[in-house]
Amino acid sequence: MNHISSDKKIIFFVAAMTSAACLSGCGKASDEEKALAVFSTSVSEFANYIKDTDEKINSLDVSQEKSVTELLEILDDMENQFANFSQLEVPLQYAGVSNLARQASTDMSLAVSYYHTAYESEPFDENYATAAYQCYSNSIEYIRYIGYLLKGEKIPENDHVTVYEELNDENILDKWLSGDDENEATPVNAPEAAN
């Protein structure tokens, strides 16, 4: 249980999505605005879920035997919530979120499976617990990256994630045709993370 660390910064991306939920005052929102509002609401609900779950895990009394059962139940629910989050319809401007959410869900599923094996083994299996913690940490890291994307911040590259930016082909052609090294291509879409 002490392998699960709290990361209260998980929900920092909620503020970035709050403004997206506000639709135009004319009363008629486009399909794109409606999709963005639904996505924003889903992200906000997921962020609140992560915060509440973090508090539940941290409030478990590790000296109580029933805490293991409670932890495993919380983790089972997390696996379901992460799977649901990975199935969200993502607006085009946040396309990179899809890959990260799927990877977060995959790693959370592995973490939950490994935690069950570790805690249900006689005796407790430290190797599975260590593997579970690593998968859990990776999953939370992908959620953090989603926050970076939603805030429009640069995602730090590491051995789990490589960041690619889509470039405007017109600017590339201008650069090639002009022979001017100063005329660099500019990104037109949000960065997309691939793993």
Side-chain angles (χ1 to χ4, degrees):
M1 215 172 329
N2 21 349
H3 283 295
I4 298 179
S5 66
S6 69
D7 188 358
K8 306 224 186 251
K9 296 178 183 176
I10 297 297
I11 62 168
F12 70 91
F13 60 87
V14 173
M17 293 306 297
T18 303
S19 62
C22 298
L23 299 176
S24 63
C26 67
K28 293 188 178 187
S30 71
D31 289 342
E32 187 176 303
E33 289 172 322
K34 289 177 185 175
L36 188 57
V38 168
F39 177 69
S40 175
T41 300
S42 297
V43 167
S44 180
E45 289 171 354
F46 184 73
N48 288 333
Y49 169 79
I50 294 292
K51 180 183 175 197
D52 292 344
T53 302
D54 179 61
E55 290 172 6
K56 284 180 190 175
I57 289 172
N58 289 319
S59 70
L60 292 174
D61 182 356
V62 295
S63 66
Q64 298 293 319
E65 208 172 297
K66 68 177 185 172
S67 292
V68 170
T69 303
E70 291 174 11
L71 174 64
L72 294 176
E73 288 172 358
I74 291 169
L75 290 169
D76 288 340
D77 188 54
M78 286 184 78
E79 181 178 14
N80 292 330
Q81 294 296 327
F82 274 62
N84 291 340
F85 187 69
S86 74
Q87 299 300 315
L88 282 180
E89 263 190 61
V90 178
L92 186 59
Q93 63 265 42
Y94 298 114
V97 168
S98 293
N99 288 340
L100 291 169
R102 281 192 296 274
Q103 190 59 50
S105 177
T106 298
D107 282 0
M108 185 56 71
S109 291
L110 285 171
V112 171
S113 174
Y114 294 160
Y115 273 123
H116 272 280
T117 301
Y119 283 107
E120 293 167 355
S121 294
E122 289 295 330
F124 174 79
D125 192 317
E126 185 67 36
N127 290 330
Y128 272 101
T130 300
Y133 175 72
Q134 184 60 54
C135 290
Y136 181 90
S137 297
N138 291 346
S139 181
I140 297 301
E141 184 175 25
Y142 289 122
I143 296 301
R144 190 176 307 117
Y145 292 157
I146 289 171
Y148 288 133
L149 276 179
L150 296 176
K151 288 177 66 178
E153 294 180 358
K154 184 177 178 177
I155 295 176
E157 291 190 40
N158 64 29
D159 58 340
H160 298 298
V161 174
T162 304
V163 178
Y164 301 97
E165 293 197 23
E166 295 178 16
L167 302 176
N168 182 331
D169 289 341
E170 181 180 324
N171 289 339
I172 291 173
L173 290 175
D174 287 344
K175 180 178 178 179
W176 288 344
L177 295 175
S178 71
D180 183 8
D181 290 336
E182 299 292 318
N183 184 15
E184 293 189 18
T186 56
V188 293
N189 292 330
E192 181 173 331
N195 37 23

